[in-house]
Amino acid sequence: MNYRDLPSMPVAAQSTESITTGDWRTIRPVLNKDLCDRCYHCWAFCPDVSVIVEEEGSFPKVDLNHCKGCGICSTECSKQAITMVREDL
Amino acid sequence: MTDFQFPLPKEEYMYPGHSACPGCGEPISMRMLLKALGPDTIMNVPAGCCAVIPGVWPTYSLKIPLIDHAFECTGAVSSGIRAALDHFGKEDVTVVGWAGDGGTADIGLQSLSGAVDRGTDMLYIMYDNEAYMNTGNQCSSATPCGANTTTTPGGKSHQRTKKDVMKMMIANGIVYGASLNPAFPEDFMEKVVTAKGIRGPKFLHILSPCPSGWKFDPRNTIKIARLATETGVFPLYEYRNGETIFTKDLKNRKPLEEYLRLQGRFKHLSQADVEGMQRVLDESIQKLLKEE
Ligand SMILES: Cc1ncc(C[n+]2csc(CCOP(=O)(O)OP(=O)(O)O)c2C)c(N)n1
Ligand code: SF4
Ligand code: SF4
Ligand code: SF4
Ligand SMILES: [Mg+2]
């Protein structure tokens, strides 16, 4: 990028979605649907907006492009439905 | 048909891909706050982790406008945004000044005090990770006694205290004050909605566990936040019309040790230190309960 391509004012106009923070991850959340009761606590506490619930009643999914693998969803799940699994590094 | 209910409003005002460390408590609270306030909100932030969470320029993680400014002037910038909004007749827009404990209890204190004195209609947030974390964990006046930081390697001296900014703000003239903890989303959301409905200067104190500085496994962020309230370290209350009301039980508390032992910043404390700290905590809570 050339400096001429930058906006004339220091205004940020591009969303952080283009940044793949999923690359930071060393462990990954894996859901066991048999245990999940769709309470969505994992969704409520995810610091990285990376638990996706497509519609009410559906099982949560993880956005692996952005999930940093903190493990909060796993700790906060009262059904122990999320296990953290090591990534192949 | 399912009867499952989302624990929070579904609308998102934050994008993924922001720059907080894995498991940081701050974006959890920022996301909840915005869910409670909705889109008619303008935020201003000083230097601190609060300035990197909205994203690294030219990217941006929020769906509301934000001004990023110098470290010491959160209160002054909130006053300025309010004045501009009032000029254009936009009274229904909420102005949020969101600053760290260093940016509030230390360097931004005079600016905040000025804004409260002017009666600025704003929601001032002190997210408290109990040190200067963005620069690598230096002690602030809001660091608790006993905690290790790079400038208090043996733990912050017990001769010092954790500055009670809420008390200062009450004396300064806020119309609403509350302590918030992201581990209690319902209590959190209710307080933000209440604050939004009141005109004038409002001050919220949010506990913000920091895995990097407090030295704990990031999977325990919410667990530790919850323990802070359950042990009485971070009582949840609401201040309004000269009265303080506790919104979570303070009488039946878990042992302080459960909170301390999960965090590396308290690792050096001996059993006698922990017992001493439990006594100090019990005394201060007895005092609080009498004042209520
Ligand atoms: C006037 C000034 N002094 C020092 C700094 C360097 N600085 C940037 S962020 C920061 C720490 C902020 O601490 P706090 O307000 O508690 O927020 P946190 O980083 O913990 O989220 C410091 C010292 C600065 N940006 N400006
Ligand atoms: S917290 Fe656990 S049980 Fe609840 S929706 Fe998430 S995975 Fe399912
Ligand atoms: S591991 Fe952390 S970032 Fe990933 S989905 Fe769970 S809570 Fe979100
Ligand atoms: S240093 Fe602490 S407060 Fe700052 S982003 Fe990292 S975890 Fe969050
Ligand atoms: Mg801080």
Side-chain angles (χ1 to χ4, degrees):
Chain A
M1 201 199 306
N2 188 289
Y3 77 92
R4 284 178 215 281
D5 301 327
L6 297 173
S8 55
M9 280 193 296
V11 170
Q14 182 189 327
S15 107
T16 47
E17 276 175 308
S18 57
I19 300 178
T20 51
T21 46
D23 301 346
W24 302 9
R25 198 174 53 241
T26 55
I27 46 175
R28 169 172 35 112
V30 176
L31 176 75
N32 179 346
K33 286 187 185 169
D34 295 337
L35 297 177
C36 173
D37 73 355
R38 291 162 287 169
C39 65
Y40 306 135
H41 287 148
C42 50
W43 168 84
F45 290 123
C46 174
D48 286 286
V49 207
S50 296
V51 175
I52 313 288
V53 179
E54 267 149 16
E55 59 184 272
E56 200 146 356
S58 59
F59 287 105
K61 283 187 193 153
V62 177
D63 167 4
L64 289 172
N65 287 326
H66 296 104
C67 160
K68 294 172 188 164
C70 67
I72 292 177
C73 52
S74 167
T75 306
E76 290 310 310
C77 173
S78 56
K79 303 287 171 197
Q80 275 92 48
I82 300 178
T83 327
M84 299 305 291
V85 177
R86 193 155 269 293
E87 293 281 4
D88 297 330
L89 299 175
Chain B
M1 278 290 287
T2 53
D3 50 4
F4 291 107
Q5 273 209 325
F6 274 80
L8 298 171
K10 273 188 263 187
E11 290 75 19
E12 291 294 351
Y13 299 99
M14 182 183 272
Y15 290 107
H18 60 66
S19 319
C21 310
C24 177
E26 187 178 345
I28 305 177
S29 293
M30 200 183 271
R31 180 172 166 238
M32 281 184 194
L33 178 101
L34 293 175
K35 280 175 181 286
L37 291 177
D40 292 335
T41 304
I42 296 187
M43 193 139 99
N44 63 288
V45 297
C49 294
C50 53
V52 295
I53 290 170
V56 178
W57 190 83
T59 65
Y60 183 53
S61 73
L62 303 180
K63 300 185 188 175
I64 54 134
L66 174 136
I67 296 177
D68 185 341
H69 50 75
F71 202 6
E72 51 280 79
C73 54
T74 310
V77 174
S78 292
S79 283
I81 298 172
R82 181 82 268 162
L85 287 169
D86 288 350
H87 177 77
F88 291 109
K90 292 188 187 282
E91 266 129 43
D92 49 343
V93 176
T94 307
V95 178
V96 178
W98 174 288
D101 51 299
T104 303
D106 298 336
I107 193 166
L109 194 59
Q110 52 83 10
S111 167
L112 166 60
S113 177
V116 174
D117 182 54
R118 284 186 291 275
T120 297
D121 179 18
M122 63 171 183
L123 189 54
Y124 189 103
I125 315 268
M126 164 171 159
Y127 70 91
D128 193 359
N129 53 23
E130 304 192 315
Y132 290 81
M133 291 309 183
N134 196 241
T135 40
N137 194 6
Q138 294 82 28
C139 179
S140 83
S141 58
T143 302
C145 296
N148 152 287
T149 66
T150 56
T151 50
T152 55
K156 184 174 171 177
S157 160
H158 289 270
Q159 253 69 45
R160 299 169 72 184
T161 51
K162 179 174 166 83
K163 191 185 278 184
D164 193 342
V165 185
M166 183 62 82
K167 267 217 173 106
M168 298 171 86
M169 289 303 111
I170 290 172
N172 211 159
I174 50 167
V175 290
Y176 179 82
S179 59
L180 277 65
N181 183 336
F184 298 91
E186 275 173 30
D187 182 78
F188 186 112
M189 302 292 284
E190 253 174 56
K191 286 168 174 168
V192 177
V193 171
T194 307
K196 185 187 176 185
I198 303 173
R199 295 274 157 265
K202 299 155 294 261
F203 182 82
L204 303 184
H205 182 192
I206 304 186
L207 182 75
S208 202
C210 163
S212 321
W214 297 13
K215 302 185 181 68
F216 62 82
D217 185 336
R219 60 157 48 230
N220 288 334
T221 299
I222 293 295
K223 187 174 173 185
I224 286 175
R226 194 178 291 118
L227 276 169
T229 293
E230 288 172 345
T231 54
V233 171
F234 193 81
L236 292 182
Y237 60 86
E238 213 173 17
Y239 164 84
R240 223 176 150 175
N241 305 325
E243 259 184 274
T244 303
I245 296 159
F246 292 96
T247 57
K248 285 274 173 261
D249 177 46
L250 257 184
K251 292 194 182 92
N252 304 303
R253 300 184 299 279
K254 289 192 172 165
L256 174 62
E257 193 169 1
E258 284 187 30
Y259 173 71
L260 300 179
R261 292 297 181 211
L262 280 172
Q263 303 173 53
R265 64 174 174 157
F266 295 115
K267 190 175 65 182
H268 57 283
L269 296 174
S270 67
Q271 204 54 33
D273 290 336
V274 172
E275 282 161 22
M277 286 166 77
Q278 179 74 66
R279 274 195 301 278
V280 172
L281 177 66
D282 290 343
E283 278 163 24
S284 77
I285 289 175
Q286 288 316 322
K287 235 176 104 199
L288 280 179
L289 288 170
K290 266 190 215 132
E291 280 170 19
E292 190 189 14

